Amino acid sequence: MQRLCLDILKRMFHEKLTRCEIGFLLCVSRYQDQGGCVKGVYYKEISEEIGCSYPQFYAAMRSLEEKGFIRCAKNNYYDHDITVIGNDYRTSDIYEDAGENFRRKPYINTRHEIFYSRTFMKMKPGAQLMAMDFMGVTRLNKGTHCIRVENFFKKYQGLLDVSRRTLRTYITQLKEFFSIGVRDGKYWIRPKVKVYRDGGNTETENYNEQQI
């Protein structure tokens, strides 16, 4: 199940996650089963995929567990079984269309190209979280999100605890992936085509590969 629940994203804003912590959650979510569990997480593979050092991997894992995002079980010397808490989709009907599954429990598809992009992985954590939120709100609003300029700054300054100047810097970076314009005193936000390209294996391929 290559997805991350939008309720988890809200907590990611609240806890002010680091770049490595964000990358860690995105990465393990690509290999989870319907219950949010990933078996046999190997530190070298995850570290290479998200571009962090081995000590940073372990620091992120410990921090995410302490903050209640994941639950870890070490079953052998080499790897861990990790469960993403609150990312349980066992009640989802696999035969139901993606739109209906999304409406039942809104999520971000972590298979999309943006999450494999080195540009995204090098962004400040605040910009990464904004990108993820843009993906959620645009899908909730059928592809385009509209919000008054003042409300936009009020929302993200509150979520990220940053200045307007910093938010403008994030907006400039995010134009790599989103069309962002101002019209009639409102921000109009739409993901570019490259955001939604499939950046990796299918859910089944990733899950089977991880099990092996």
Side-chain angles (χ1 to χ4, degrees):
M1 304 295 289
Q2 296 177 322
R3 57 185 66 172
L4 196 63
C5 176
L6 289 184
D7 285 341
I8 295 175
L9 176 60
K10 292 178 184 177
R11 293 186 54 232
M12 292 168 73
F13 274 105
H14 178 72
E15 295 291 345
K16 306 292 191 295
L17 296 193
T18 66
R19 185 186 291 115
C20 286
E21 290 170 344
I22 294 169
F24 189 107
L25 284 175
L26 288 171
C27 190
V28 297
S29 72
R30 297 174 192 145
Y31 303 100
Q32 67 193 342
D33 61 20
Q34 279 190 293
C37 180
V38 190
K39 294 183 178 180
V41 174
Y42 187 44
Y43 73 97
K44 286 187 178 179
E45 293 177 349
I46 302 297
S47 297
E48 290 172 4
E49 193 161 340
I50 66 178
C52 72
S53 67
Y54 301 155
Q56 286 175 320
F57 166 87
Y58 284 109
M61 185 172 67
R62 287 193 299 270
S63 177
L64 289 170
E65 188 168 29
E66 290 170 0
K67 293 171 182 175
F69 285 94
I70 61 174
R71 184 169 54 250
C72 302
K74 190 170 178 62
N75 294 322
N76 62 60
Y77 182 79
Y78 296 101
D79 50 38
H80 297 75
D81 292 348
I82 294 177
T83 300
V84 183
I85 298 171
N87 215 37
D88 190 333
Y89 283 87
R90 281 174 290 190
T91 58
S92 295
D93 184 349
I94 61 174
Y95 298 105
E96 204 166 44
D97 70 84
E100 184 59 32
N101 268 324
F102 178 82
R103 284 187 288 274
R104 288 178 185 274
K105 189 173 183 179
Y107 61 88
I108 296 167
N109 187 331
T110 54
R111 183 188 176 195
H112 290 320
E113 177 67 26
I114 184 174
F115 298 125
Y116 289 85
S117 165
R118 287 298 171 192
T119 300
F120 174 84
M121 295 307 296
K122 290 178 180 179
M123 283 181 176
K124 294 288 187 181
Q128 292 179 327
L129 292 174
M130 282 180 68
M132 295 167 69
D133 193 55
F134 284 0
M135 292 181 71
V137 294
T138 52
R139 186 167 182 187
L140 284 167
N141 292 284
K142 300 181 179 180
T144 301
H145 181 54
C146 171
I147 180 172
R148 295 198 65 82
V149 171
E150 286 303 313
N151 292 340
F152 176 92
F153 282 103
K154 182 178 179 180
K155 173 182 177 179
Y156 290 108
Q157 281 186 276
L159 287 172
L160 298 170
D161 192 23
V162 296
S163 67
R164 282 191 171 224
R165 181 176 180 180
T166 299
L167 281 182
R168 291 191 182 97
T169 301
Y170 292 168
I171 292 169
T172 299
Q173 294 175 355
L174 291 171
K175 286 182 177 180
E176 170 78 16
F177 301 106
F178 299 88
S179 295
I180 305 171
V182 178
R183 188 172 74 247
D184 300 328
K186 300 175 183 178
Y187 271 118
W188 295 79
I189 303 165
R190 177 186 289 273
K192 293 182 178 178
V193 173
K194 62 181 178 181
V195 167
Y196 289 123
R197 291 174 185 153
D198 290 332
N201 296 334
T202 65
E203 289 185 356
T204 302
E205 288 170 340
N206 267 357
Y207 179 72
N208 290 340
E209 179 181 299
Q210 184 66 20
Q211 292 302 298
I212 293 170

